[in-house]
Amino acid sequence: MVLEHVGRHVLTLALTCIAAPAMAQDYMAEATIGSFSVSLIEAGGACVLSVEGLPTLLTGLPAPCGFIHRAGEAVPQMFNYQPVATVAFIAGPMAADGCANSGQSLKLDGTTFTLGEARAMPGRFCHEGGLDEVMFRSEAGVD
């Protein structure tokens, strides 16, 4: 499996060992994307993506964070496009309304995970509200 990140460093496995789960119950911190088990953990106040316990990717978001999903659903909201296989979104810390002020896309293309740029959009990244498919299409480069 290949891990990539635009403008960030790939963290070492040692970071995974010292990182602690930092997600409250209201955050969806674990999921299956493609055939991979992924989790969101905290390391030094930052949100970090862990894939199958292998080296992790540092997001551009503070912790805690979680996968965006629709209320009542136990899986992240995801869409599949070609050439990018799967696109999901991670939201940063929740405000009082349950929405985050920032979020970031996570793309899986075969065996390669890539994080998009973190976006500041206050009130737009609602953990249990889902996102309009336009956001997913934009991250996948689909018009």
Side-chain angles (χ1 to χ4, degrees):
M1 172 177 43
V2 176
L3 300 174
E4 293 181 358
H5 186 282
V6 178
R8 300 269 178 218
H9 299 285
V10 175
L11 301 178
T12 64
L13 187 56
L15 179 59
T16 302
C17 296
I18 63 170
M23 307 309 136
Q25 288 179 327
D26 295 339
Y27 292 84
M28 181 180 285
E30 297 179 350
T32 299
I33 298 180
S35 62
F36 300 97
S37 176
V38 297
S39 59
L40 297 168
I41 58 176
E42 177 188 12
C47 177
V48 176
L49 177 77
S50 176
V51 181
E52 299 286 345
L54 295 175
T56 56
L57 298 175
L58 176 64
T59 73
L61 304 171
C65 63
F67 293 104
I68 292 179
H69 60 286
R70 297 204 182 273
E73 293 186 5
V75 296
Q77 182 184 13
M78 295 180 275
F79 288 96
N80 296 313
Y81 304 104
Q82 294 301 324
V84 176
T86 305
V87 178
F89 272 88
I90 301 167
M94 280 187 220
D97 64 359
C99 297
N101 290 329
S102 58
Q104 190 167 8
S105 67
L106 173 64
K107 297 171 267 193
L108 171 62
D109 183 5
T111 59
T112 303
F113 280 91
T114 306
L115 290 168
E117 292 297 319
R119 296 182 183 190
M121 298 172 75
R124 184 75 184 263
F125 296 100
C126 299
H127 286 263
E128 290 192 351
L131 283 172
D132 190 294
E133 188 179 357
V134 170
M135 295 283 291
F136 293 85
R137 293 176 67 80
S138 173
E139 287 298 312
V142 177
D143 293 324

